[in-house]
Amino acid sequence: MALDVASRARFNLDKAAVLLLDDTPLGMSILVQIVTGLGAKLLYRCTSVEAAQEVAAQHEIDLAIVDAMAPEGKGYDFVEWLRREAQEPNCYTPTLITTAHTPASDIVRARDCGGHFIIKKPIAPIVMLERIIWVAKAGRPFLFTGTYVGPDRRFRDDGPPDGVGRRREDLVKAAAAAEAEAVGAPPPDADEPPERSAAS
């Protein structure tokens, strides 16, 4: 996702309450520098899950930036608690997860705990800004099920922030619609998969 200069100039966290959770002094220092650079003034700096839970129980939070706190993954546990146990509106708080470790299992865990995005360390301020703006503008609906509470993990056909579809069915539908438009035919029904040829 690339931002134009005008988008960056208009974005400011001046009025946002930001919860930061990182159990290392260096990690916290970096997060504070980034968000204050984006205009944030009201910061809740938490070095433990318990402190973050107490803040979320007492104050309204506009944005949470949570370190995964590997290898135990206590940050993921906090996000899951935020989604399931925190009162409204904090249970809907946009949440970014930071981590130095991004194996596939951690990506899945970040998604399944209810985080919006996972950001790999070292964190580039522009990447943080892009993710915050994308979360603010996307407006993904929240899902409440027995096994998952959080933002809809499915992206629309326009794909994730870089605009590239990531599900096979997205690409199939887009190709069928483009082909129909090219020959002047009506696009295929979105609920019906495109017909397969005998050769396929």
Side-chain angles (χ1 to χ4, degrees), residues 73-94:
K74 293 179 182 177
Y76 301 124
D77 296 336
F78 169 73
V79 176
E80 189 167 359
W81 174 89
L82 187 71
R83 296 295 182 231
R84 293 181 178 275
E85 305 294 333
Q87 298 298 309
E88 293 186 19
N90 285 348
C91 59
Y92 302 111
T93 299

Side-chain angles (χ1 to χ4, degrees), residues 86-119:
Q87 298 298 309
E88 293 186 19
N90 285 348
C91 59
Y92 302 111
T93 299
T95 304
L96 305 176
I97 300 173
T98 65
T99 183
H101 309 280
T102 53
S105 59
D106 279 17
I107 301 297
V108 169
R109 193 169 177 193
R111 180 199 67 191
D112 290 349
C113 75
H116 280 83
F117 278 110
I118 188 166
I119 301 174

Side-chain angles (χ1 to χ4, degrees), residues 183-199:
V183 298
D189 186 344
D191 295 330
E192 296 178 5
E195 294 182 6
R196 297 177 61 146
S197 66

Side-chain angles (χ1 to χ4, degrees), residues 6-190:
S7 293
R8 294 180 204 162
R10 289 192 301 266
F11 188 82
N12 196 308
L13 290 174
D14 179 45
K15 302 199 183 319
V18 183
L19 184 151
L20 304 175
L21 173 58
D22 196 309
D23 62 350
T24 65
L26 178 60
M28 180 62 73
S29 175
I30 290 169
L31 289 180
V32 168
Q33 289 178 39
I34 291 173
V35 296
T36 55
L38 298 176
K41 295 177 180 173
L42 179 54
L43 305 180
Y44 296 103
R45 306 175 196 197
C46 304
T47 57
S48 70
V49 169
E50 294 75 21
Q53 289 174 339
E54 187 174 334
V55 167
Q58 296 179 1
H59 305 280
E60 188 171 323
I61 305 300
D62 298 306
L63 173 68
I65 303 174
V66 177
D67 185 70
M69 299 166 76
E72 296 87 358
K74 293 179 182 177
Y76 301 124
D77 296 336
F78 169 73
V79 176
E80 189 167 359
W81 174 89
L82 187 71
R83 296 295 182 231
R84 293 181 178 275
E85 305 294 333
Q87 298 298 309
E88 293 186 19
N90 285 348
C91 59
Y92 302 111
T93 299
T95 304
L96 305 176
I97 300 173
T98 65
T99 183
H101 309 280
T102 53
S105 59
D106 279 17
I107 301 297
V108 169
R109 193 169 177 193
R111 180 199 67 191
D112 290 349
C113 75
H116 280 83
F117 278 110
I118 188 166
I119 301 174
K120 188 178 188 311
K121 294 180 176 180
I123 303 168
I126 186 61
V127 172
M128 181 70 76
L129 174 60
E130 288 173 346
R131 296 303 179 257
I132 292 171
I133 291 178
W134 197 82
V135 167
K137 291 184 175 180
R140 288 158 67 185
F142 263 65
L143 304 177
F144 295 86
T145 71
T147 58
Y148 175 75
V149 177
D152 191 342
R153 295 174 292 191
R154 300 165 297 178
F155 286 90
R156 294 181 301 247
D157 287 355
D158 56 1
D162 60 4
V164 178
R166 63 182 195 170
R167 296 184 305 226
R168 183 177 182 279
E169 59 267 24
D170 291 344
L171 300 177
V172 170
K173 283 191 253 180
E179 183 179 351
E181 184 178 342
V183 298
D189 186 344

